[in-house]
Amino acid sequence: MNVLKFGGSSVASPQSVDEVLAIVKKSVQKRPSVVVVSAMGGITDMLLMAGRLATVRSDEYKQIIAEIENRFLDYVRKMLPVATQSSTLSMVKQQINSIEDICSSIYILEEMSPRITDKLLSFGELITSSILADKMQAEGMEHCWIDSRELIKTNSKFGYATVSFGITNKLIRQRIDANAYNLYLLPGFIASDEFGNTTTLGRGGSDYTAAIVAAALNAKRIEIWTDVSGMMTADPKQVKNAKPIESISYQEAMELSHFGAKVLYPPTVQPVLRKKIPLWIKNTFAPADHGTLIAENGTDRNQKISGLSSIGNVALLSLEGAGMVGIPGFSKRLFAALASESVNVILITQGSSEHSICVAISENDEYKAANAVNQAFHSEIADGAVYPIKSEKGYSVVALVGNSMVNHPGISGRMFGALGRNGINVRAIAQGSSERNISTVVSAKDLKKALNVLHESFFETSYKQINLFIVGVGNVGSRLLEQLKQQQSYLQDHLKLQVRAIGIANSRTMVFNEDGIDLSSWELKLQEGVAMNLDKFIEQAVLLNKRNSIFIDNTANVAVAETYKHLLRKSISVVTCNKIACSSAYSNYKELKELARNFNSQFLFETNVGAGLPVINTLNDLLRSGDRISTIQAVLSGTLNFVFNKYDGSQPFASIVRQAQTEGYTEPDPRLDLSGTDVMRKILILARETGKPMEIDQIKNVGFLPESCLEGDIENFYKEVEKHENHFKTLLEKAKAEGKRLKYIAMFKEGKASVALQAVSSTSDFYNLDGKDNAVLFYTDRYKEQPLVVKGAGAGAEVTASGIFSDIIRAARV
Ligand code: ADP
Ligand code: ASP
Ligand code: MG
């Protein structure tokens, strides 16, 4: 025998029923088959809703019944040949009358007992399977329809009845005979108690019906046909990259379904496991797909983790108090109190201090559970030995499941590392001693992110997704986007990174796309975006709660720099070329670094010094390897180097500064370069990176600009510089006369920093520094006489963008 079960979505429309019948025909060709069907998708919920509305005396229940009727009538009309429709249509009408009768009595009594609920819900499967029987008849598929209530016997626990296997197996074997019919058709989900009352096997229970029948008949195989191509590595509705599991053991399937993988009703595995019947999960809409085989040795040994699943709407109850320590019996009483109210416990944790016990339960049970426990511990609470129970809603349980987790250390480390890096707070943890499951309780708002983070960490060796939020698309930002566009496929192929821009903003507009903004048309998308509001941009980055999020600041804006703390606290990494934050008060710089450390985020600002040159990273590598920096000597202003290299007296000083500005080497305000402020900021950052707590006003700055140049606006600056052409010429001539060149040099030595324009001779490392280059000399314990030199283009949008790019990759590969 084959046993095939078709779920609600498989029988939801006349077209899908055609698929179902094709699958059934194929099965019958191989061997006699039993087909179990659920109610047409959505009907069970509608029946329940009608009943609930009737209990509160809302007439709307009639509309719901009318909708149910219309769906069934329409289904019949579209599915059956006109000539054979009438008897089926009258059967539907008759059954609808019964539903109306039940609902009107609920309406009168204002009460829906579990017994009546089961009776009401049974109509979904009864009507659907009867219509299917007529369809089979019309197609010439000879078969026998049996009311499952005559086969499956249960106790009277309505809503979730327990099967009496002895009698059930006997009845199934008596009534289903491969010699009598090649094809049997049964409604799933429904059963009856010893008094003949209708019972149900619990929501989703049609899977179980099929398993009970398969086990009783020692079936060759059981197939659960649904709307996905197997049991997947995670719920495909939550995790887009979930993929079907080819094969899995009974225990793992059970564990996954217990922890929320809705594709299989949890009790289904038990009966087939005992008989070792292979269970397949297949897709009605893609029957050629492999699907999942659940069997005794069904684990792919290379895969330590089989899947992830989750349970939503969870409440946490914590019983705490010093009076619990070392006294046996507390947990027994806690669980007895919960059991007395039929509260199902999903997860339990107890610290070894025994000071508290925490249990996760369904939110629906929270009220009665808390009451029961408070009552049970009433006298201890009065004495102050324990506190009244603390209950909190809004949680989810996420479970990692796999047979081969046993004896593989490091899996929980990887799990919590991935969650931590993404700012997901873990409220409770439980690992079954079977080591087949590690469960964590996280806030419901983090559920989707947690599932995706873990899925990426355990199943997507293919690539890691990086989500960027970019502010500033001027010179640097636009080049960065260009580079990203060019490199996207390289990063995916070679570094296994899928880098996507989720949010982009300039000072006027902002745009978001959760699936990544198309980088070939970002300008247009940004133009069509909404008005820029920095707070809203940040709020959206936080709300989207994407894994591996990185915020990129390509501005020189104070307000943007002030958002970093909030972002880092939310575990969103920050990559910035904006020097404001790192050169602000030392306490601020320090706090940012600490926040990054505490919240597992990255705070990277390599481009603050020397644009794309690896200055800060080199310094940190030296320190990390145990070296000590004694002196840093550097030309850190690409602008000033460009200006003094170019200035030979043939052109006025002012016009060279203007050229530097138009070519994009200067800060947006060139006075920051010319006054030495920009260089001060850079040497300050380097000094701080060596571990020296320094403030900007501790840096000595010997200015070379006449004071009037720094007054007023930028235009006034240029006018004043023009006016003082002689001043600059004198500086130049004096240096020339001594065979020297002018260089603006920053120094950090013996804990002190200074910046000044200096005339250097041909023996200096800086004498031949070309164009807008920067050079940094590190004198250290290891590099005593000959310094370690980092030298190259130290200004310009292209190299700055590439420096930001490297920081993004660095943050992504943590
Ligand atoms: P049926 O109506 O066929 O019984 P269900 O809706 O009960 O179907 O179960 C199928 C659904 O289970 C899928 O559409 C999917 O959204 C959900 N699901 C949750 N977790 C998983 C998982 N790990 N693998 C596959 N599907 C899952
Ligand atoms: N129709 C029932 C439900 O919706 C049983 C099932 O679909 O398996 O819960
Ligand atoms: Mg189901």
Side-chain angles (χ1 to χ4, degrees):
M1 275 280 185
N2 283 349
V3 175
L4 288 74
K5 176 259 170 177
F6 293 90
S9 52
S10 302
V11 291
S13 71
Q15 293 83 341
S16 60
V17 167
D18 287 341
E19 313 271 356
V20 168
L21 293 194
I23 294 163
V24 171
K25 278 178 193 159
K26 262 196 184 160
S27 172
V28 175
Q29 274 167 13
K30 287 207 188 97
R31 60 182 75 87
S33 304
V34 179
V35 171
V36 175
V37 290
S38 292
M40 192 205 280
I43 294 289
T44 313
D45 285 333
M46 289 166 87
L47 288 165
L48 195 59
M49 177 63 80
R52 287 195 178 139
L53 287 168
T55 45
V56 295
R57 291 197 143 253
S58 161
D59 285 323
E60 271 180 63
Y61 83 84
K62 291 182 183 153
Q63 274 169 32
I64 308 249
I65 297 178
E67 245 178 81
I68 296 174
E69 180 174 12
N70 283 339
R71 274 192 68 187
F72 276 126
L73 293 179
D74 189 50
Y75 189 67
V76 172
R77 288 193 189 107
K78 285 191 177 136
M79 193 151 57
L80 291 178
V82 181
T84 62
Q85 276 177 14
S86 64
S87 67
T88 314
L89 291 174
S90 67
M91 176 277 294
V92 170
K93 284 185 181 145
Q94 235 172 34
Q95 299 282 46
I96 294 287
N97 287 342
S98 307
I99 295 172
E100 272 166 356
D101 289 347
I102 293 172
C103 286
S104 72
S105 40
I106 294 173
Y107 185 90
I108 292 164
L109 294 172
E110 292 178 45
E111 191 187 314
M112 183 163 72
S113 67
R115 186 174 128 191
I116 286 294
T117 309
D118 275 2
K119 177 86 188 149
L120 179 62
L121 297 194
S122 68
F123 285 93
E125 267 70 10
L126 282 172
I127 304 176
T128 308
S129 65
S130 302
I131 297 174
L132 248 67
D134 291 351
K135 170 75 176 169
M136 283 182 175
Q137 193 72 35
E139 295 269 316
M141 294 168 73
E142 203 194 329
H143 71 279
C144 171
W145 179 91
I146 305 177
D147 183 338
S148 304
R149 292 175 295 187
E150 294 167 15
L151 302 181
I152 298 178
K153 288 294 181 181
T154 66
N155 66 4
S156 303
K157 207 168 134 211
F158 298 99
Y160 192 80
T162 305
V163 176
S164 313
F165 276 98
I167 169 102
T168 299
N169 288 342
K170 216 156 97 193
L171 287 168
I172 293 172
R173 285 180 205 136
Q174 268 170 14
R175 297 284 303 276
I176 299 185
D177 178 0
N179 295 319
Y181 285 91
N182 259 341
L183 178 60
Y184 285 85
L185 176 61
L186 314 177
F189 182 49
I190 57 174
S192 65
D193 69 5
E194 60 176 314
F195 310 106
N197 295 309
T198 300
T199 56
T200 61
L201 304 176
R203 293 302 306 271
S206 296
D207 298 347
Y208 192 30
T209 307
I212 295 164
V213 173
L217 297 174
N218 283 320
K220 191 96 180 146
R221 60 195 260 146
I222 167 171
E223 297 169 4
I224 305 284
W225 291 84
T226 181
D227 59 354
V228 284
S229 293
M231 195 163 219
M232 322 265 278
T233 47
D235 182 355
K237 293 199 177 92
Q238 305 260 20
V239 178
K240 266 196 210 139
N241 296 332
K243 42 185 196 261
I245 302 167
E246 279 207 2
S247 131
I248 190 173
S249 70
Y250 291 119
Q251 285 78 8
E252 287 167 305
M254 229 176 330
E255 203 87 31
L256 274 171
S257 62
H258 268 296
F259 272 85
K262 188 194 170 202
V263 64
L264 193 65
Y265 183 56
T268 307
V269 178
Q270 272 299 345
V272 293
L273 178 153
R274 255 182 272 131
K275 295 284 177 78
K276 299 195 171 72
I277 301 169
L279 189 158
W280 284 87
I281 300 191
K282 298 275 292 178
N283 189 345
T284 304
F285 306 94
D289 285 0
H290 179 275
T292 299
L293 168 64
I294 303 173
E296 196 172 30
N297 296 317
T299 309
D300 173 357
R301 290 287 147 203
N302 293 324
Q303 190 76 38
K304 291 186 214 45
I305 307 296
S306 303
L308 285 170
S309 57
S310 62
I311 304 175
N313 304 324
V314 166
L316 282 182
L317 296 187
S318 320
L319 186 65
E320 287 180 31
M324 287 163 61
V325 182
I327 299 172
F330 265 87
S331 43
K332 182 178 159 206
R333 284 169 58 201
L334 170 67
F335 295 116
L338 294 171
S340 70
E341 289 291 329
S342 303
V343 174
N344 180 36
V345 175
I346 301 169
L347 171 154
I348 309 162
T349 61
Q350 177 176 22
S352 57
S353 73
E354 297 178 36
H355 187 263
S356 73
I357 306 176
C358 174
V359 295
I361 59 170
S362 159
E363 276 182 351
N364 295 335
D365 292 337
E366 188 215 6
Y367 182 73
K368 64 178 182 184
N371 265 345
V373 177
N374 281 339
Q375 249 166 36
F377 291 93
H378 155 262
S379 66
E380 284 88 349
I381 293 171
D383 293 348
V386 299
Y387 298 110
I389 194 111
K390 190 167 111 197
S391 72
E392 298 159 277
K393 285 191 188 186
Y395 289 98
S396 299
V397 177
V398 177
L400 202 60
V401 172
N403 257 350
S404 322
M405 266 155 57
V406 188
N407 303 329
H408 273 102
I411 288 184
S412 54
R414 187 153 149 208
M415 177 178 193
F416 297 113
L419 293 173
R421 272 194 303 282
N422 280 281
I424 298 165
N425 190 27
V426 171
R427 269 301 309 267
I429 303 167
Q431 174 169 13
S433 57
S434 70
E435 286 193 47
R436 204 175 286 125
N437 171 326
I438 308 175
S439 301
T440 63
V441 178
V442 300
S443 170
K445 70 173 182 3
D446 286 333
L447 172 63
K448 190 168 178 188
K449 186 176 180 186
L451 284 170
N452 279 283
V453 160
L454 295 175
H455 196 268
E456 188 171 83
S457 175
F458 287 99
F459 297 101
E460 294 166 38
T461 40
S462 51
Y463 58 78
K464 181 173 177 184
Q465 194 179 83
I466 309 299
N467 298 299
L468 306 183
F469 295 87
I470 302 173
V471 173
V473 288
N475 277 344
V476 173
S478 58
R479 294 232 184 22
L480 173 67
L481 285 164
E482 184 59 37
Q483 291 176 10
L484 279 174
K485 187 181 86 186
Q486 272 168 16
Q487 290 303 100
Q488 252 172 346
S489 56
Y490 176 88
L491 292 176
Q492 187 147 339
D493 296 346
H494 296 266
L495 298 185
K496 308 290 177 210
L497 295 176
Q498 189 193 50
V499 183
R500 318 178 310 164
I502 306 296
I504 301 182
N506 60 15
S507 54
R508 293 174 302 281
T509 50
M510 58 183 185
V511 63
F512 292 93
N513 182 342
E514 268 207 72
D515 300 321
I517 297 162
D518 178 2
L519 292 185
S520 51
S521 59
W522 66 266
E523 277 129 320
L524 191 73
K525 300 264 155 54
L526 185 58
Q527 269 169 27
E528 293 165 351
V530 295
M532 168 60 167
N533 174 318
L534 183 60
D535 289 341
K536 292 220 171 96
F537 187 88
I538 303 293
E539 191 184 307
Q540 186 68 2
V542 172
L543 270 180
L544 283 173
N545 208 5
K546 293 257 169 213
R547 63 194 188 276
N548 312 320
S549 288
I550 308 178
F551 176 83
I552 294 152
D553 178 5
N554 297 316
T555 73
N557 189 296
V558 184
V560 180
E562 280 169 356
T563 65
Y564 300 169
K565 283 185 198 164
H566 179 57
L567 290 161
L568 292 170
R569 270 193 201 101
K570 297 289 176 188
S571 298
I572 297 179
S573 293
V574 173
V575 167
T576 178
C577 62
N578 182 347
K579 295 180 208 68
I580 291 177
C582 286
S583 57
S584 61
Y586 178 74
S587 56
N588 193 48
Y589 158 87
K590 197 159 161 256
E591 192 183 348
L592 286 165
K593 295 214 122 193
E594 272 164 13
L595 284 172
R597 216 176 3 255
N598 292 341
F599 290 89
N600 290 303
S601 39
Q602 301 287 310
F603 175 46
L604 300 177
F605 43 89
E606 175 61 88
T607 47
N608 279 6
V609 181
L613 292 178
V615 178
I616 294 177
N617 279 303
T618 305
L619 191 159
N620 281 313
D621 283 345
L622 289 170
L623 294 174
R624 273 195 288 266
S625 66
D627 207 349
R628 199 189 60 86
I629 314 281
S630 52
T631 304
I632 301 172
Q633 220 186 342
V635 167
L636 290 174
S637 171
T639 312
L640 290 176
N641 203 40
F642 173 87
V643 168
F644 286 109
N645 274 338
K646 194 110 188 161
Y647 183 54
D648 57 7
S650 63
Q651 263 179 303
F653 191 74
S655 71
I656 293 172
V657 177
R658 261 194 212 281
Q659 187 189 345
Q661 184 173 13
T662 33
E663 290 187 17
Y665 307 144
T666 67
E667 288 293 302
D669 179 348
R671 289 172 301 181
L672 287 176
D673 296 296
L674 276 283
S675 64
T677 307
D678 188 53
V679 176
M680 283 165 81
R681 285 177 177 173
K682 289 173 182 167
I683 194 73
L684 176 72
I685 295 169
L686 291 183
R688 285 175 173 179
E689 287 289 292
T690 67
K692 172 83 187 165
M694 185 183 275
E695 300 293 350
I696 195 132
D697 56 15
Q698 291 173 286
I699 301 174
K700 197 167 141 211
N701 179 356
V702 187
F704 66 90
L705 285 180
E707 260 180 33
S708 60
C709 297
L710 294 172
E711 286 156 10
D713 58 10
I714 297 181
E715 268 322 298
N716 181 64
F717 158 76
Y718 278 115
K719 265 192 216 133
E720 288 298 318
V721 173
E722 273 164 26
K723 233 192 262 169
H724 289 91
E725 176 61 21
N726 269 341
H727 164 75
F728 300 106
K729 218 168 209 164
T730 316
L731 289 174
L732 176 72
E733 297 303 338
K734 187 162 173 268
K736 262 191 181 166
E738 293 169 5
K740 291 181 176 172
R741 288 183 180 165
L742 291 173
K743 298 285 163 190
Y744 197 83
I745 297 175
M747 177 88 128
F748 174 63
K749 192 174 183 179
E750 287 159 7
K752 294 206 166 58
S754 61
V755 297
L757 185 68
Q758 294 179 22
V760 300
S761 65
S762 60
T763 55
S764 161
D765 285 292
F766 300 128
Y767 186 80
N768 285 317
L769 207 57
D770 282 340
K772 54 186 189 305
D773 284 3
N774 279 10
V776 184
L777 278 47
F778 292 107
Y779 291 90
T780 73
D781 285 355
R782 289 188 203 133
Y783 295 90
K784 264 199 193 80
E785 273 89 43
Q786 278 301 319
L788 175 72
V789 182
V790 180
K791 185 175 157 220
E798 197 71 40
V799 286
T800 305
S802 75
I804 293 175
F805 201 146
S806 321
D807 272 351
I808 293 173
I809 304 303
R810 205 165 285 126
R813 297 185 82 186
V814 171

